[in-house]
Amino acid sequence: MLQIDPFWSYGIGAGCALATATRLRDAHGDITRQEAIRDRGLLATLLFMGVLFIPMGMWLATRFPGWETMYAWRAVPPWALAAFSAGLVVCATAGYLLTHGLLVRGKPWGACLQFVVAYVSVFCTLIHGWDGTGLRRFLATAPAAFTSPAPTTAELIQWLRSPIAETLFWMGLVLIPALLAVNVRLRTGGTGTPGTRGAPLDGLDMVLRATMVILGPCLALAVSASLSVTMFGALLGGAAWTALAVTVLRPHSALAAVCRRIVLPAACPPRRAEPSAGGQHLHAGQ
């Protein structure tokens, strides 16, 4: 959906940048290598956007314009599709470069927040939308379908049998594995480390853990936001959810600790040698 794609594009860019954290650690202090990692990672991100993500989105917008716009428009003008495609490139680039910059400056939690907040925004838009009917619009096969309070079982089955669901299924079979493969490649650089698990396995472990963060805390925060606003109103519910989000997303929260376990070992500076009584030993850098 067009309302979701900017947040998703930003999250894709941020996720791809996080996947390069291990190689950024190895290139600590080497500006030339860091810039090369940045440029190659950004190129891979934009290739994914240009070859798969954006064309699939434009296909959906052309074939199902009402559904793709959450039934805000009956048709999408060509100029709007062109401008929107360019905007998605900008969003993915911004997500990548800002996250990369935070990693280089030694701020892994700030970098992780770019990823987390982007996917919370994706789910908030999908579940609640701008008027509380986001999920209803997603499951609607016609403009009038989302006006009822909740989808019935028959309507859900009808949606699952619709061309929209079928198209999303086949696109997902291509898009999701491709995105995981890009992140694995960016994480490992195609090389392994002697004496440890193979690089592809390490990269897959990283993206699986990141996926758990997306489908766990990010989804839970979005659901709680929708429930808070629906039950207590935009002002009171928004204030209550903001307090919850600040607690969950604070630097010393459990979520921050989980994200650091995914990213921090790869993002912290390399160890430096110092002389000791028995020769030299390694310790963590500042």
Side-chain angles (χ1 to χ4, degrees):
M1 287 181 159
L2 298 184
Q3 290 85 348
I4 295 172
D5 288 347
F7 301 116
W8 195 3
S9 298
Y10 190 94
I12 288 172
C16 288
L18 289 175
T20 66
T22 296
R23 288 189 288 154
L24 287 176
R25 175 205 61 189
D26 296 337
H28 181 67
D30 189 335
I31 297 178
T32 301
R33 284 185 61 194
Q34 289 178 343
E35 290 179 346
I37 293 169
R38 178 199 65 196
D39 294 342
R40 291 177 181 177
L42 182 58
L43 175 61
T45 303
L46 295 182
L47 280 174
F48 172 81
M49 295 295 297
V51 174
L52 289 177
F53 189 87
I54 293 176
M56 288 183 177
M58 296 307 99
W59 184 5
L60 287 170
T62 302
R63 189 177 181 190
F64 311 110
W67 180 86
E68 183 68 3
T69 62
M70 299 181 84
Y71 298 102
W73 289 356
R74 293 185 178 181
V76 185
W79 64 265
L81 289 179
F84 190 76
S85 298
L88 295 184
V89 173
V90 172
C91 290
T93 302
Y96 185 95
L97 292 179
L98 182 55
T99 304
H100 171 86
L102 290 168
L103 287 172
V104 170
R105 293 197 296 272
K107 299 179 179 180
W109 175 233
C112 290
L113 273 178
Q114 309 306 309
F115 177 81
V116 170
V117 172
Y119 278 97
V120 171
S121 301
V122 167
F123 287 127
C124 281
T125 306
L126 174 63
I127 295 170
H128 193 82
W130 60 87
D131 60 356
T133 63
L135 187 59
R136 196 69 184 87
R137 291 172 186 266
F138 179 81
L139 295 175
T141 56
F146 62 84
T147 57
S148 59
T152 64
T153 303
E155 288 174 331
L156 180 58
I157 294 175
Q158 179 183 3
W159 185 85
L160 290 172
R161 293 176 176 176
S162 69
I164 297 172
E166 181 182 0
T167 303
L168 290 177
F169 173 77
W170 290 112
M171 284 185 173
L173 286 183
V174 176
L175 189 72
I176 301 304
L179 180 58
L180 295 179
V182 168
N183 278 268
V184 169
R185 178 71 180 184
L186 289 176
R187 171 76 167 191
T188 63
T191 60
T193 303
T196 64
R197 292 181 301 167
L201 183 59
D202 176 66
L204 183 60
D205 179 70
M206 184 275 293
V207 297
L208 290 178
R209 289 175 183 271
T211 301
M212 291 174 64
V213 171
I214 293 172
L215 298 179
C218 293
L219 179 57
L221 280 170
V223 171
S224 65
S226 180
L227 291 176
S228 297
V229 172
T230 301
M231 294 174 62
F232 304 111
L235 186 60
L236 183 59
W241 182 81
T242 299
L244 172 65
V246 169
T247 301
V248 173
L249 300 178
R250 73 186 194 279
H252 302 294
S253 67
L255 177 58
V258 169
C259 290
R260 285 195 180 97
R261 282 197 291 270
I262 299 173
V263 176
L264 186 59
C268 61
R271 303 188 170 203
R272 66 185 183 189
E274 275 195 357
S276 63
Q280 290 189 335
H281 67 279
L282 296 175
H283 73 93
Q286 294 283 322

